[in-house]
Each structure stands twice: as structure tokens, then as C-alpha cells.
Amino acid sequence: MVTGIKTYATTQANSESSRVFLDSQRAMFLTGLLVLLVLRICYLAICPMELIPDEAYYWDWSRQLDWSYYSKPPMVAGLIAFSTMLLGTSEFAVRLPAAILGTLGLWSVYELGRRIYGHRTGLWSAVIAGVTPGSTALCLLMTIDAPFLFAWTMSVYCLWRVLENRSNAWSWVLPAILATGAGLLSKQTTLGLYPLVALFLATTPSQRSKFAKLQIWAWVIGSLMFLIPVAIWNSRHGWITFEHTRDHFPLQSHSVLRHLTWSAEFLISQFGVLSPLICAQLGIVTIILMLRYRHLGERERFLVCFGGFPLVAITMLSLFQRVQPNWPVALHLTCIVMMAAWKSGEISLSQYFDSRRMAVTVAVGLGVVMSFAVSIAPFILPSSALAGTRFDPTGRLRGWKTASRLISEKFEKMNSKEEILLIAATSRAPVSEFAYYLPGQPRVYRWNVGEVIDSQHDIWGGPRNASGKDALIVTEGDAVVPNRLAMAFADIEDLGTVVVPLGRAKSRQFRIWRGSTLSDWPARRTQDSIAVQLDESTLRPSRK
């Protein structure tokens, strides 16, 4: 049986029925979505999770708003700044935009499925997307993926409205520009929309003429203009974001076993992100439609171009380098629409597979169970026998508040009449965690042991006009103060160690130092000087 068995008249009927925005079907769906949003907000209000390092890092950005940042555009910082301005700086306020945007993203998925195939497909699309463990986690954590995924799904929906051969295509150009622009200000991955649109137009004969349509070029030019402030910021900072993005794709050779291990890790991670049954069924639907691409209609080709082909490309990339589990999440959402269309009977795969559509219901049930497990993990795991083991994903979310309290106790004993600087000679994670959880949320400066720019803290640099001031310095584990930093102080005193147990043999451990009378913040060395004097940049005992 040919895929896409229903004619384009089906889509026309769907579009006719969707002219009334609040029809009974959509009203019922939006009511359910509102209930889900209320439940998610209530969950955030009682959830004991501390901010993970990425959340604290982006919160730190929100205190110093700019046109762009070291690794990402400014959207995540702006959203956190707006939320915390209204509600204070609690974990709830930091995470609230994630809950709102994650829930609104399901509306975009619903509208895409409904517009292309009808209400039933749209509803199944939103349900499947909403019960995946990855979706649940991303709605609880305020990272760049929250605004990015909402903007991506909204962009895909608006682009379909522009491309679906309707007389009102121009009315959807501005929404497409705004959605794509918001995505570009959220994550560089949004740039992938342009080649995916080109792929769809080039491989769909009935769409090729649209390469010359003003609507497409208006969308391209209009949305790219959102990158102007980001580009200006980067031009003033040595194009650091582009350097960082390039580092995600290292050109290094490794053993065949290492490459196979990376690919296996990526595939296994997708079963965790989507849940095993949803992942397997989504993969089957996507692969079969890709193999039949030449026989597909416009609707299926659109979904395959925005989901299947790039998903396979990322899977192939995992054979050459380590790929993060969240990289293909935006593509999952488009593939889920294909899976929902198959479940609804709008797409046929084969007699064998079509007789097993009920398996989607079972997959949704497993997704609900796994998502519930994700939600209750912060309440149960910290006090369980699994705490501190590799089966405890909450380890990243614990210990920062206690460590900050213990550090603040040492800070209060320093008894200095002048302002005391706070310096973390650590990796990136503790810097913003301490900035968030230390009393008064002070500015924490980072001393980068490697002295190679790898975070926004390095862009901001050290304190200015700080000569003569004392500092509380934090190092990780049992590390001592790096030599170049220690030499900038008249004296370095060891104040002891702070240890926060996380369960079993795992703990957070920091060593606290007092630096007396800073002469001046050491200037960053060049790459050449670092290479020549590599031994000086390593941790070694400082003078007492």
C-alpha cells in the first residue's frame, strides 16, 4: 500500500475546519493543555531540585544582559531576567519559563499535526511528545532547549502554512520570521531550518518553483536579520561563539572501537530520551517513509525533510564523534507527527505494521510511567540506596546549596573591613552555583586554570580596580591555588576543606583559601606563552 494514502483534499478539509480557531476540538485540547501547565507550575513550586550547573550559568548571564554570550545567543538570559524581575530569584522563578514554553511547544506540535492530517493526528502528536521522559525533563529545567524547541516547532508549523499552496501564504510569512528569529536568538541549531527548507523544495517537484517566490526570500532575509546584534557582539569578541561551535565538531581520529562506542551511546541515549517503545516505533515509521520517499506526497516529504533526513545525519555523525543526547530532540517532534499520523490511519506502512498500530498506545503508557519516574526522582533518589551511584541522575542537582552555606561560614570569619573578592579556581560549574547560592548572590570571579577561554566567565574577566583587596578562593577537591593566581597575593592561607556527601562514596569537596592583598589580577597569557610555559599553568603548591 502506498504511503500517504489520503489525498490532499484531506488537508484542504482540515484547513477549512481550522478557520474557526476555538472549535470544540481545539477548545478541548487547549483546556487539557492549560491543566497540564497548571500541574507543571505546581510541581515546580514544590520540587526540591537545586539548579543544575547550566541553569545557574544562564542565570548568571541574566544578571549581565548582553546581545550575545560566549556559547549561545541571548534569549535564555533574557527570559530568566524577565521572570526573576517579576518573581524574584528563586529556583521556581528561574525555571518557570521552561514550564511555560515546554507546554506551549506541545500546542505547536498539535497544530502541525492537525493542519496536515487532522485533529486526531494533532492530538496524538501532542500526547506522544508530552509523555517522553526527555520532554518532561526539559520542561523542568531552564536551559537553552526550552526556548529553542518552542521556536523550532512554531517555525516548522508556520513554514508549512507558507508552503502549503494556499492563497493566504503571505499572512504566515511574518509569524515564520518571528518564530525563526526567536529560534536564532535561542540556539545556533535553528540555522538548520534553511537547508531543510531547501531540501524539501529541491526534492519535491511541485514545490521547486517556490525557490523564486518572494515569500521564501522574505522569510530568509527577515529572520536572518535577528542575527545582526549577535554578529556585531561576536565581531567585538573575536567571533568566539563561532569558535565554540566549531569545537563541537573536532577533526580527530580515534580507534574503530571508540567510534562504535560513541554511536552505541548515542542510540541508547535516544531510548532514554524518547522511552524505548516510542523510540523504536518512531524509528520504524521514519525509516520506512524515508525508503519510500520518491512515492510520498508533499505532506510526508515535508515531515521527512524536517525530521527523518537530519535525524539520520546526526546518527551518522555519532559514528565520527560524541553526540549529545539532546541534539536531535527538535527532529523527534517532527517525526512524532509522522508516528501519530500512522497511528491515526492517515499513513500506511504495510499490512504487517498497520495491524500493530495499537502498539503506540502501549508505548504512550510506558512513556507515562517513565516520565512519572523522572518527576518523582528528585523526591526519592537522594535518600535511597542509589544516592551517589551512577544510577542517580539527581547528583548534578544536589549539594550546591549546602556547599555554599559551608563556604559562607568561612567567608564570615574573614573579618575584613574592605570588600572581599570571591574567586573560584575551578571548572565552570561551581562558579555560577556559588554565585546563586551564596548569601546575597555575590559576583564570583573565575580563575581558569587552563587560561583558555571556555566560558562566559572568561569573557567577563577578573575584578577591576581590585588592588589591595583580600579574596576568598575556592579550589576543587584537594587542589591548591594555581601558581600565577597565588603570586598575585601577598599571602595565601589555607582555611580548610568543605565536604558535602551525596551518597555512597560520592561527595562534593572544595578547598578554601584566603588571599591577602591582591596586587593586580593577572593578565591572560597568549596561547604561545601557555604552550611554552605549560608547567606553570598546572596546579602545584603555592606559597604560604
Side-chain angles (χ1 to χ4, degrees):
M1 187 179 294
V2 179
T3 55
I5 55 175
K6 296 195 176 182
T7 66
Y8 199 78
T10 305
T11 303
Q12 184 175 3
N14 295 336
S15 64
E16 293 294 331
S17 66
S18 64
R19 288 182 178 179
V20 179
F21 179 74
L22 277 179
D23 57 41
S24 59
Q25 293 175 333
R26 185 179 277 121
M28 184 177 299
F29 172 76
L30 291 176
T31 300
L33 207 62
L34 180 61
V35 172
L36 176 63
L37 176 60
V38 171
L39 291 175
R40 285 177 168 175
I41 292 175
C42 291
Y43 177 87
L44 288 183
I46 64 173
C47 183
M49 292 189 299
E50 298 174 20
L51 296 185
I52 65 171
D54 280 354
E55 290 178 296
Y57 184 45
Y58 299 137
W59 167 82
D60 223 355
W61 290 10
S62 74
R63 299 199 295 175
Q64 301 187 60
L65 292 178
D66 209 335
W67 289 113
S68 192
Y69 297 89
Y70 162 73
S71 58
K72 297 294 182 293
M75 180 65 76
V76 66
L79 290 171
I80 294 175
F82 181 72
S83 180
T84 54
M85 178 186 68
L86 296 177
L87 302 173
T89 58
S90 64
E91 289 101 337
F92 173 83
V94 172
R95 289 177 171 141
L96 182 60
I100 295 174
L101 293 173
T103 307
L104 288 177
L106 297 179
W107 173 54
S108 302
V109 174
Y110 165 79
E111 291 295 340
L112 179 63
R114 172 182 165 122
R115 183 68 186 183
I116 296 179
Y117 292 110
H119 167 73
R120 192 161 181 257
T121 297
L123 185 60
W124 273 109
S125 299
V127 168
I128 297 170
V131 301
T132 61
S135 173
T136 300
L138 290 175
C139 289
L140 304 177
L141 303 174
M142 186 55 192
T143 67
I144 54 173
D145 286 321
F148 162 67
L149 291 176
F150 170 72
W152 178 280
T153 52
M154 184 58 72
S155 296
V156 173
Y157 170 66
C158 293
L159 286 169
W160 173 252
R161 298 299 299 264
V162 171
L163 296 170
E164 66 175 343
N165 295 317
R166 290 286 162 207
S167 59
N168 64 340
W170 269 109
S171 64
W172 284 94
V173 172
L174 180 58
I177 289 173
L178 295 177
T180 306
L184 292 172
L185 293 178
S186 300
K187 194 174 183 179
Q188 300 93 309
T189 310
T190 306
L191 289 167
L193 286 172
Y194 302 106
L196 295 183
V197 168
L199 176 65
F200 172 65
L201 298 182
T203 60
T204 308
S206 60
Q207 292 281 338
R208 287 174 189 158
S209 62
K210 291 184 180 174
F211 272 118
K213 293 290 185 179
L214 289 178
Q215 294 100 320
I216 296 299
W217 291 104
W219 164 69
V220 171
I221 296 172
S223 57
L224 285 175
M225 290 181 68
F226 281 75
L227 284 179
I228 292 176
V230 177
I232 292 174
W233 183 92
N234 269 275
S235 69
R236 295 172 178 172
H237 293 84
W239 302 101
I240 191 65
T241 306
F242 297 90
E243 292 290 331
H244 165 76
T245 304
R246 186 181 64 180
D247 290 342
H248 281 308
F249 306 96
L251 299 176
Q252 298 177 352
S253 60
H254 297 275
S255 66
V256 174
L257 180 59
R258 174 65 63 85
H259 288 286
L260 292 176
T261 300
W262 284 340
S263 186
E265 288 176 347
F266 170 72
L267 292 174
I268 292 171
S269 73
Q270 298 311 288
F271 281 90
V273 170
L274 287 165
S275 85
L277 293 181
I278 291 178
C279 185
Q281 293 171 24
L282 181 146
I284 291 171
V285 172
T286 301
I287 291 172
I288 290 177
L289 290 181
M290 289 178 62
L291 293 175
R292 298 177 179 177
Y293 189 77
R294 291 182 59 188
H295 305 289
L296 299 182
E298 289 183 357
R299 300 174 295 171
E300 292 74 32
R301 288 191 181 209
F302 180 84
L303 295 174
V304 169
C305 285
F306 281 83
F309 287 141
L311 187 57
V312 168
I314 290 179
T315 304
M316 295 299 295
L317 180 64
S318 71
L319 285 169
F320 299 94
Q321 67 169 75
R322 189 182 296 278
V323 173
Q324 297 302 318
N326 67 319
W327 283 13
V329 171
L331 309 175
H332 292 164
L333 298 174
T334 315
C335 292
I336 282 173
V337 175
M338 292 189 286
M339 180 178 167
W342 170 64
K343 166 63 178 174
S344 304
E346 300 288 345
I347 287 177
S348 175
L349 301 180
S350 70
Q351 185 175 357
Y352 173 81
F353 285 114
D354 291 350
S355 65
R356 288 161 174 79
R357 287 186 171 115
M358 184 58 64
V360 175
T361 305
V362 178
V364 167
L366 178 60
V368 170
V369 172
M370 293 184 66
S371 294
F372 180 73
V374 169
S375 301
I376 65 173
F379 296 90
I380 295 177
L381 284 179
S383 57
S384 72
L386 296 176
T389 69
R390 60 181 178 177
F391 301 104
D392 176 19
T394 67
R396 294 183 64 203
L397 288 73
R398 294 188 287 115
W400 299 109
K401 187 180 297 185
T402 301
S404 298
R405 177 179 57 80
L406 296 174
I407 291 172
S408 69
E409 291 175 358
K410 295 184 179 295
F411 180 79
E412 292 169 357
K413 296 178 181 179
M414 292 183 63
N415 296 324
S416 176
K417 296 181 180 180
E418 301 292 332
E419 175 192 4
I420 298 178
L421 304 173
L422 292 168
I423 302 172
T426 65
S427 58
R428 190 193 80 182
V431 184
S432 294
E433 292 283 5
F434 294 150
Y436 183 83
Y437 284 111
L438 282 170
Q441 298 181 325
R443 171 74 183 276
V444 178
Y445 299 95
R446 183 194 181 198
W447 176 264
N448 186 338
V449 176
E451 299 197 53
V452 177
I453 296 177
D454 63 6
S455 76
Q456 183 61 31
H457 302 114
D458 303 320
I459 301 293
W460 289 329
R464 295 176 176 84
N465 302 318
S467 298
K469 293 183 178 179
D470 293 348
L472 184 143
I473 305 170
V474 181
T475 59
E476 290 186 270
D478 59 355
V480 298
V481 179
N483 188 61
R484 286 216 323 130
L485 179 60
M487 295 297 293
F489 290 91
D491 184 61
I492 295 290
E493 177 186 359
D494 188 349
L495 300 181
T497 301
V498 166
V499 179
V500 180
L502 298 177
R504 291 291 178 93
K506 189 174 183 179
S507 64
R508 296 199 188 284
Q509 180 174 326
F510 300 98
R511 199 167 173 183
I512 315 302
W513 310 79
R514 176 173 182 153
S516 300
T517 316
L518 176 67
S519 58
D520 201 3
W521 187 263
R524 186 185 307 281
R525 296 182 297 176
T526 64
Q527 289 295 103
D528 292 338
S529 66
I530 291 175
V532 172
Q533 305 177 30
L534 184 60
D535 62 320
E536 185 181 345
S537 67
T538 59
L539 293 176
R540 59 183 181 180
S542 59
R543 57 181 182 173
K544 297 290 183 71

